[in-house]
Amino acid sequence: MNGLRRVARQAARADGRDAVERCDLCAQPLPPGHPHRHVLQPATGTVSCACPACAVLFDHDAGAAGGHRLLPRERRRLDGCRIDDAAWAGLGVPVSLAFFTRSGGSGEVTAAYPSPLGVLRAPVPPDSWRDVETCHPDLPEHVTDVRALLVDRGHGASEHWLVPLDDCYRLAAVVRAHWKGLDGGPEVWQRVEDFFRALADPTDPTPFTPQEASWASP
């Protein structure tokens, strides 16, 4: 029933009959002009929009048993974190821009990296991840299925952040939407730089949208 309701809402928005963004859980309109919360369904990796009332249900992991987890709001730059070339190579990530999450069930760490095809994923060898955890004291405890380590080492950057998972999907949408040619082109890397600059701004109102979720998926 929920799937049918979502398809109906998407069709209504597409033909202009319903331009209001709605909660994916209860279909109530979301407050216009204000950032709203998101929830993760760990079993599928789906990130959904949540109205204030639904977000309360899943706060403090209260809804984890029901199959959803509320994504946090905090963004934190990991000052002093440096993953050297050897540690990065051990992760098996072939690019310089990636994010890492840890499964709440298995404890497995997954590397994910934006691409013109969406988000590509690969498991991280446990020994290699332990090497990364030594780079900053917050990494062992705070990388979860809803909070990711986001790293940009490309084009002279050295960005290491703990961010909500929806931030990673927003970045993946930026890469997928603006990638050109074999190396992405200068525009996409400028937009990546702008993205990280905005992370440092606590007033950044940029929303995560269902369209971005579809762009972020392979």
Side-chain angles (χ1 to χ4, degrees), residues 5-24 26-34 36 49 51 209-210:
R5 185 182 298 121
R6 179 180 296 183
V7 170
R9 292 203 309 271
Q10 290 173 342
R13 286 197 295 267
D15 66 14
R17 289 184 288 109
D18 184 5
V20 176
E21 191 173 6
R22 296 179 180 273
C23 175
D24 287 319
C26 71
Q28 289 297 310
L30 295 170
H34 296 280
H36 55 266
C49 299
C51 67
T209 68

Side-chain angles (χ1 to χ4, degrees), residues 168-192:
C168 300
Y169 282 178
R170 288 200 300 116
L171 178 57
V174 168
V175 171
R176 188 167 186 180
H178 299 285
W179 187 282
K180 294 181 177 65
L182 295 177
D183 64 354
E187 180 185 1
V188 72
W189 299 118
Q190 181 60 55
R191 288 181 178 270
V192 168

Side-chain angles (χ1 to χ4, degrees), residues 32-56:
H34 296 280
H36 55 266
R37 304 297 296 275
H38 300 94
V39 294
L40 170 73
Q41 190 172 29
T44 63
T46 301
V47 174
S48 301
C49 299
C51 67
C54 287
V56 169

